[in-house]
Amino acid sequence: MATALCLCVCAAGLLAEDLLQRDFRRDRAVLAHVAVHPGAATRHIARALGARERVVERSLSRLTEERLLMLETDGVTPALRVYRVAR
């Protein structure tokens, strides 16, 4: 019984670590794409990476919060948001 419980706890830990690593890899891919394509919009990043827009939005939000990316909007179309690597 104790061995089974230990295996379950270890498996849960490995799953959580895998999810964290997946987010880290995705964030890194998003950051690299924006570095090569400054002014990229969420939709273009998602298409280039083969990911859903909502997933890319989460990565962009994290990277913006960490001040690795800057969010830019033009005064005319606030819905059009583009990203650049922060300086």
Side-chain angles (χ1 to χ4, degrees):
M1 181 71 170
T3 303
L5 180 61
C6 182
L7 287 174
C8 289
V9 170
C10 289
L14 290 173
L15 177 63
E17 180 68 24
D18 184 50
L19 292 174
L20 288 173
Q21 289 297 321
R22 189 177 331 156
D23 285 345
F24 175 72
R25 286 190 300 271
R26 186 176 304 110
D27 289 357
R28 189 174 60 194
V30 168
L31 182 61
H33 183 81
V34 173
V36 174
H37 304 282
T42 306
R43 177 172 290 159
H44 298 116
I45 298 167
R47 283 185 193 153
L49 299 179
R52 289 181 288 162
E53 282 187 51
R54 179 163 281 206
V55 171
V56 170
E57 285 172 358
R58 284 194 302 262
S59 289
L60 289 168
S61 178
R62 280 191 296 267
L63 293 167
T64 303
E65 286 175 11
E66 293 173 11
R67 297 190 173 148
L68 295 170
L69 292 179
M70 293 183 336
L71 171 64
E72 295 181 354
T73 59
D74 65 359
V76 179
T77 318
L80 178 62
R81 302 179 325 170
V82 296
Y83 294 85
R84 297 186 189 284
V85 174
R87 297 175 195 247

